[in-house]
Amino acid sequence: HEQYDYIIIGAGAAGLHLAMAMLSDEWYDKKRILILDKDPKEHNDKTWSFWERGDGQWDHIIRQSWKQGMFYGNGLEIPLTLEPYRYKTLHAIDFYTEAKKKINQADHFTWMTEEVIELSSSDAPLRVKTHRAAYTAQHIFDSRVELPDGADQGSYYHVLQHFKGWQIKTAEPRFDPDTFTMMDYRLKWKDSTSFTYVLPFSAHEAIVEYTLFNDAVLEDEAYDQLLRQYIDEILQIGSYEITAVEQGVIPMSDAPFHRASTDQITKIGQAGSWVKPSSGYSFKRAELFSQQIVSQLKKGLRPDKDLLSQKFRFYDSVLLGILHEHNHLGERIFSEMYQKNDIQQIFKFLDNETSLLEDIKIMSRFQYAPFLRSLKQYALR
């Protein structure tokens, strides 16, 4: 058995953010750290988007950033002036490449392209087995999703954020590269919470992505039809080339996946409840949570101590309950949110940074009935 201080299972956003946070702290220079993932991370499998104030540590690899955006819903056209925030997007392959380059330059890190088939936590040190070898560690960070013992999956809300996007290129300038579209509800899939998302990289190139928040993944042709219709009728672009396609499903759930963590095994990423249940955003949360873990581990504290806010998990559950039980109300709720609040306050709220007084001000601007129904259902679960 090869012995390590820490093993990170999974080299997605969570695992690599954690590795990069450890690399940035000299306290970890004398630790032996192993990363295990069955995928060598050599292809672009997704695009991550996030907002943050001003400059960030990934600005040198982001594909594009915007200081202004648009929201379309409930007959409204709402311009969004983001400053001091910026909305940023990057291709996963650029993040993988950056992380791998730094990890490969660090003598105390090892990356193995191997699939974990067994994790034994009955004895110390912990033992991880792959198809090729076995490894031991004092602490393991595990991104594989599982519910904790005794948790009933049916007792929690589960909504899927599923999407398909085309990166398109036009011969004529058809996009405003300074303005992205956060949500556009003008083309909906039946009576559901469904919208289009547009990220322009230049006057000639953009990602156009159709997204649904519900519990039914569509047939592939249905996404294509909706994308064609949006480009033809809303963007009014008749001729274009599809240069790339991305498709995926992001679980939006208030299930307590993080409770599967123990004193020696810390669940990370979706497995650690890092994905924002009401929005599906995770990239920036993974960066912030990784920094907290690195700090707490040095202090001898349990790494996931106070990582999640119970207050905001409660808010997420109430909104998720509406999307689960009354999915057709999504457009109205999101329209009210963007119409009646500054985008800076929305970002602050979604980043779990608002005070209770600020929360009350935001919530007072919504129609109460859907939230009261969801609150009652939450109390009865």
Side-chain angles (χ1 to χ4, degrees):
H1 297 168
E2 289 193 52
Q3 297 181 356
Y4 292 87
D5 294 287
Y6 308 116
I7 294 177
I8 300 172
I9 301 175
L16 292 182
H17 269 303
L18 182 58
M20 300 285 271
M22 288 178 170
L23 276 169
S24 299
D25 192 320
E26 63 182 12
W27 188 85
Y28 292 88
D29 288 352
K30 295 182 180 180
K31 304 293 184 181
R32 295 194 71 211
I33 303 164
L34 172 65
I35 300 173
L36 294 169
D37 196 299
K38 63 182 179 180
D39 187 339
K41 302 298 181 183
E42 295 174 346
H43 303 284
N44 188 52
D45 54 2
K46 58 178 66 70
T47 299
W48 283 305
S49 296
F50 57 98
W51 56 81
E52 62 183 343
R53 295 181 184 90
D55 297 333
Q57 67 169 322
W58 312 114
D59 284 358
H60 62 295
I61 60 170
I62 60 173
R63 181 67 172 81
Q64 183 68 289
S65 71
W66 300 269
K67 296 180 180 179
Q68 57 194 37
M70 287 295 299
F71 175 91
Y72 302 90
N74 255 18
L76 303 169
E77 297 184 9
I78 304 173
L80 309 172
T81 302
L82 276 57
E83 291 185 313
Y85 290 90
R86 283 191 289 161
Y87 195 78
K88 305 177 182 183
T89 193
L90 58 81
H91 293 316
I93 186 59
D94 295 325
F95 180 68
Y96 299 151
T97 302
E98 175 79 2
K100 288 173 72 173
K101 179 179 69 174
K102 292 187 175 182
I103 289 166
N104 290 336
Q105 292 171 348
D107 293 336
H108 58 302
F109 267 86
T110 302
W111 181 317
M112 297 287 191
T113 305
E114 299 177 18
E115 182 178 5
V116 172
I117 58 174
E118 183 181 332
L119 170 56
S120 173
S121 57
S122 57
D123 300 307
L126 306 175
R127 180 172 173 272
V128 176
K129 185 178 179 181
T130 72
H131 287 292
R132 296 181 183 175
Y135 310 95
T136 60
Q138 297 301 316
H139 198 100
I140 291 175
F141 298 93
D142 187 3
S143 64
R144 297 171 305 158
V145 178
E146 60 179 319
L147 278 174
D149 292 341
D152 178 11
Q153 185 167 343
S155 300
Y156 302 97
Y157 296 126
H158 304 276
V159 174
L160 299 178
Q161 179 179 157
H162 49 108
F163 57 88
K164 186 171 185 177
W166 291 347
Q167 184 166 317
I168 65 172
K169 182 179 289 187
T170 62
E172 301 296 326
R174 301 306 304 267
F175 301 104
D176 177 2
D178 296 324
T179 304
F180 76 104
T181 299
M182 176 68 84
M183 287 179 163
D184 187 344
Y185 284 94
R186 288 177 291 181
L187 176 63
K188 292 179 67 174
W189 170 258
K190 299 181 179 179
D191 199 10
S192 68
T193 298
S194 49
F195 57 91
T196 311
Y197 176 65
V198 182
L199 301 177
F201 299 139
S202 70
H204 297 267
E205 192 172 16
I207 289 179
V208 182
E209 190 167 281
Y210 198 83
T211 303
L212 299 94
F213 291 175
N214 61 13
D215 59 0
V217 175
L218 307 184
E219 294 292 334
D220 202 48
E221 176 54 31
Y223 297 105
D224 292 342
Q225 180 180 342
L226 289 160
L227 286 166
R228 282 193 295 267
Q229 187 176 351
Y230 184 85
I231 295 169
D232 293 345
E233 298 179 6
I234 306 296
L235 298 181
Q236 297 185 348
I237 298 174
S239 177
Y240 55 90
E241 175 190 0
I242 300 172
T243 59
V245 177
E246 67 174 32
Q247 191 166 5
V249 179
I250 301 172
M252 299 164 62
S253 173
D254 65 346
F257 299 114
H258 59 284
R259 292 182 190 167
S261 295
T262 67
D263 289 342
Q264 292 179 293
I265 300 174
T266 301
K267 290 291 189 175
I268 62 174
Q270 182 190 343
S273 302
W274 290 15
V275 177
K276 181 75 170 172
S278 59
S279 69
Y281 280 94
S282 62
F283 185 83
K284 190 64 180 179
R285 285 165 65 88
E287 178 186 349
L288 297 175
F289 288 168
S290 294
Q291 292 167 354
Q292 289 178 248
I293 283 175
V294 163
S295 176
Q296 293 180 161
L297 200 58
K298 286 196 311 183
K299 298 173 183 176
L301 301 174
R302 180 164 155 157
D304 61 346
K305 177 178 169 58
D306 299 326
L307 207 61
L308 302 174
S309 164
Q310 295 306 308
K311 179 183 77 167
F312 286 101
R313 281 187 61 81
F314 167 69
Y315 297 159
D316 288 331
S317 292
V318 173
L319 179 55
L320 205 60
I322 297 174
L323 294 175
H324 185 270
E325 302 293 339
H326 307 281
N327 194 255
H328 63 285
L329 295 177
E331 178 182 359
R332 191 182 85 186
I333 289 170
F334 285 109
S335 297
E336 287 178 349
M337 183 172 72
Y338 283 93
Q339 180 187 15
K340 299 177 181 179
N341 299 281
D342 293 334
I343 187 65
Q344 292 81 4
Q345 198 68 8
I346 294 172
F347 284 166
K348 188 177 179 182
F349 180 72
L350 293 176
D351 282 338
N352 297 2
E353 295 176 351
T354 47
S355 66
L356 182 59
L357 180 59
E358 290 173 312
D359 299 340
I360 293 171
K361 287 181 179 178
I362 291 172
M363 294 174 190
S364 67
R365 294 165 181 156
F366 289 100
Q367 295 184 35
Y368 295 140
F371 290 89
L372 290 175
R373 287 196 298 267
S374 182
L375 184 60
K376 181 179 179 181
Q377 292 170 337
Y378 177 88
L380 294 173
R381 289 197 313 186

